[in-house]
Amino acid sequence: KYYPTKKVFTAGFDQLVLTRSMVFLANHPSKEDIPALHNLLPKDVLFAISESDATEHPDLLKQRKHIRYNVLQPKTLQKVKETIVQGHPILLFPEVRRSSTGSLMKLYDEITQVICDTTTTIYPIVLVGMEGQHYFPHPTPKIILGQPFLLEPNEHVSTITHQLDRLFRTMCFEQAHKT
């Protein structure tokens, strides 16, 4: 089990009820993210993570279904899409890889496209003040599950990616400045 070095404030997870076709989208500011989310999210949630993240947490991933990837190849994206279509809840990092500075990085249109190709409910998760996160330092790390929403399928993928980016930046900013 993951034991953080400091107390972590969490919100929104106590009301979570798993249903079919749920996508959890989380920013990825620190190496502590995967163990923390592993403890917070139900065990039925599949993690789509980079090979480097997987090698850092091999024991933890023995306890959870996951998809590993080196880069966003069509084969990997298809596997993620099939997982969503089959109704399995999944955690995705729209930045694809962990930030080296703790700041929110570019969100990838490929992740947005996979989600747009399915009719699924999205649950945003923001992690603020985690170890190594210098962009939004906070004395108490926070992991917040935001309000669920559906994407507008008629919007252009890059427009939706931009809206997701704005949502994550707003949520991170609000949580970093909340006492």
Side-chain angles (χ1 to χ4, degrees):
K1 220 166 184 346
Y2 165 72
Y3 296 100
T5 54
K6 3 183 201 179
K7 185 177 178 177
V8 176
F9 174 82
T10 62
F13 292 91
D14 53 339
Q15 302 298 324
L16 181 63
V17 177
L18 278 188
T19 60
R20 293 181 55 80
S21 296
M22 298 171 78
V23 172
F24 297 92
L25 289 180
N27 63 319
H28 197 3
S30 138
K31 67 180 180 181
E32 292 186 356
D33 303 343
I34 291 172
L37 290 169
H38 171 75
N39 285 345
L40 284 169
L41 292 172
K43 298 300 179 218
D44 292 341
V45 177
L46 183 143
F47 281 26
I49 59 173
S50 70
E51 190 64 46
S52 61
D53 282 331
T55 56
E56 287 182 0
H57 306 290
D59 293 336
L60 183 143
L61 293 175
K62 289 177 184 171
Q63 305 167 38
R64 181 177 295 276
K65 291 182 182 179
H66 60 281
I67 297 172
R68 296 177 185 214
Y69 56 83
N70 282 323
V71 293
L72 287 180
Q73 299 173 335
K75 181 176 152 184
T76 303
L77 294 169
Q78 184 60 34
K79 190 171 184 179
V80 168
K81 183 178 173 181
E82 288 170 5
T83 299
I84 296 168
V85 169
Q86 291 168 2
H88 299 289
I90 189 169
L91 168 69
L92 300 172
F93 295 105
E95 302 163 286
V96 179
R97 64 197 182 287
R98 183 175 65 226
S99 171
S100 59
T101 64
S103 62
L104 188 66
M105 298 188 309
K106 172 189 184 294
L107 305 186
Y108 282 80
D109 285 339
E110 293 86 345
I111 298 293
T112 305
Q113 183 65 59
V114 167
I115 298 167
C116 286
D117 289 346
T118 64
T119 52
T120 187
T121 305
I122 298 172
Y123 288 79
I125 300 173
V126 293
L127 297 97
V128 176
M130 302 299 282
E131 179 184 318
Q133 190 176 6
H134 307 293
Y135 190 65
F136 287 122
H138 200 278
T140 304
K142 297 179 181 182
I143 305 174
I144 309 297
L145 178 64
Q147 291 298 312
F149 63 93
L150 295 170
L151 294 179
E152 281 295 324
N154 298 332
E155 290 285 336
H156 192 273
V157 170
S158 62
T159 301
I160 294 171
T161 301
H162 178 72
Q163 291 169 347
L164 289 172
D165 181 83
R166 192 170 48 228
L167 170 72
F168 273 96
R169 289 186 190 285
T170 300
M171 288 178 71
C172 285
F173 182 83
E174 287 172 355
Q175 290 305 318
H177 293 90
K178 205 182 246 188
T179 55

